[in-house]
Amino acid sequence: IFSEAFSDNPRSMETYLRLLTEADQADHLVTFAEKAIALSDGDEQYEWIALNGIRFLLRLSDDSALNISEQLIAASPNSLTILDFASQAYFIRGEHAKAAAFLSKINEIQPGKAMVLNNLAMCLVEIPEEVSKAIEVASNALRLAPHDASIMDTLAVALLRDGQPDEALKQLESAIAIRKEPRFLFHLLLAYEQLGRQDKYEEAYSLLSQIEL
């Protein structure tokens, strides 16, 4: 039944995967995704699988999403949607270098996208020898989107990892002035801790504890 439905309308996959997720039948998610890949014959169908993979397969605790992403990459290696799915799958599993490689490829195909650079910087900052590169990439992202609080936060994290809490603090204060997200405040705590500013640390901790997580 699935084969016929998917062949007639690839978007039917969303319904199948949602129902399987609601029924807590994770094993079948992978089976259906692999079957859909086998039935696909073009980038549009592969990308639809990737979009649903982002919604459903990334929730799985094993390496299934990685395996599906590799199959999709092999079928359509230059699809931005599939490369994005692969980068998320590997990032969630803690394979930051592999995730960074996929994001770098996205940037090569479609350069100058602030959030792609932001996500790349988020990967690089988790790789100790790439922290300086993370600062460079996040700074480039911020130049493209100078009022984006999330990018300010990413740059701040990279600066903290590089031992530059004063510069990180500037970015975090700017980000928090835009919106008070818990993760921004948590990183602010780290900056105050590095700077030894106990009074400011306690002030930020109090503010963070008042926010409903």
Side-chain angles (χ1 to χ4, degrees):
I1 296 174
F2 171 77
S3 299
E4 294 178 2
F6 183 81
S7 295
D8 290 339
N9 178 17
R11 293 174 181 267
S12 64
M13 183 181 179
E14 178 182 8
T15 300
Y16 279 91
L17 294 185
R18 185 178 65 252
L19 291 172
L20 288 169
T21 300
E22 292 172 354
D24 198 25
Q25 297 186 37
D27 291 344
H28 294 298
L29 287 173
V30 179
T31 301
F32 275 81
E34 290 179 335
K35 188 175 290 188
I37 291 171
L39 291 167
S40 298
D41 59 5
D43 285 350
E44 184 176 356
Q45 291 182 345
Y46 291 128
E47 289 179 354
W48 188 248
I49 296 168
L51 286 170
N52 280 286
I54 291 171
R55 294 184 58 192
F56 300 105
L57 295 173
L58 290 181
R59 304 175 188 179
L60 302 179
S61 59
D62 60 15
D63 290 339
S64 299
L66 302 185
N67 296 333
I68 294 298
S69 72
E70 290 293 349
Q71 292 179 51
L72 290 169
I73 290 288
S76 185
N78 294 315
S79 164
L80 299 179
T81 301
I82 292 171
L83 289 167
D84 180 56
F85 168 50
S87 73
Q88 292 187 54
Y90 277 94
F91 184 85
I92 288 171
R93 300 304 185 278
E95 296 195 33
H96 303 112
K98 194 70 179 285
F102 287 124
L103 287 163
S104 294
K105 187 168 183 180
I106 292 175
N107 187 52
E108 289 173 8
I109 296 170
Q110 191 178 72
K113 298 296 182 182
M115 290 315 299
V116 172
L117 293 174
N118 179 69
N119 294 341
L120 175 56
M122 289 175 64
C123 293
L124 294 172
V125 80
E126 299 298 333
I127 307 170
E129 63 271 21
E130 297 288 0
V131 170
S132 295
K133 181 67 173 178
I135 293 173
E136 177 187 339
V137 173
S139 297
N140 289 338
L142 193 58
R143 276 191 283 273
L144 291 168
H147 305 296
D148 192 303
S150 293
I151 299 176
M152 295 172 189
D153 179 67
T154 299
L155 177 55
V157 171
L159 290 165
L160 285 172
R161 296 280 175 87
D162 197 49
Q164 301 184 56
D166 284 309
E167 292 302 314
L169 184 60
K170 294 176 185 177
Q171 296 299 328
L172 289 166
E173 288 175 340
S174 296
I176 291 167
I178 295 171
R179 63 176 187 274
K180 292 181 175 62
E181 280 198 16
R183 65 189 169 107
F184 299 171
L185 290 166
F186 175 73
H187 295 147
L188 184 66
L189 287 175
L190 297 180
Y192 286 141
E193 185 176 45
Q194 281 193 26
L195 290 165
R197 297 176 62 176
Q198 186 63 28
D199 56 333
K200 287 294 187 178
Y201 181 97
E202 292 175 359
E203 182 182 314
Y205 184 85
S206 176
L207 182 58
L208 178 60
S209 65
Q210 296 172 29
I211 295 178
E212 189 174 319
L213 301 179

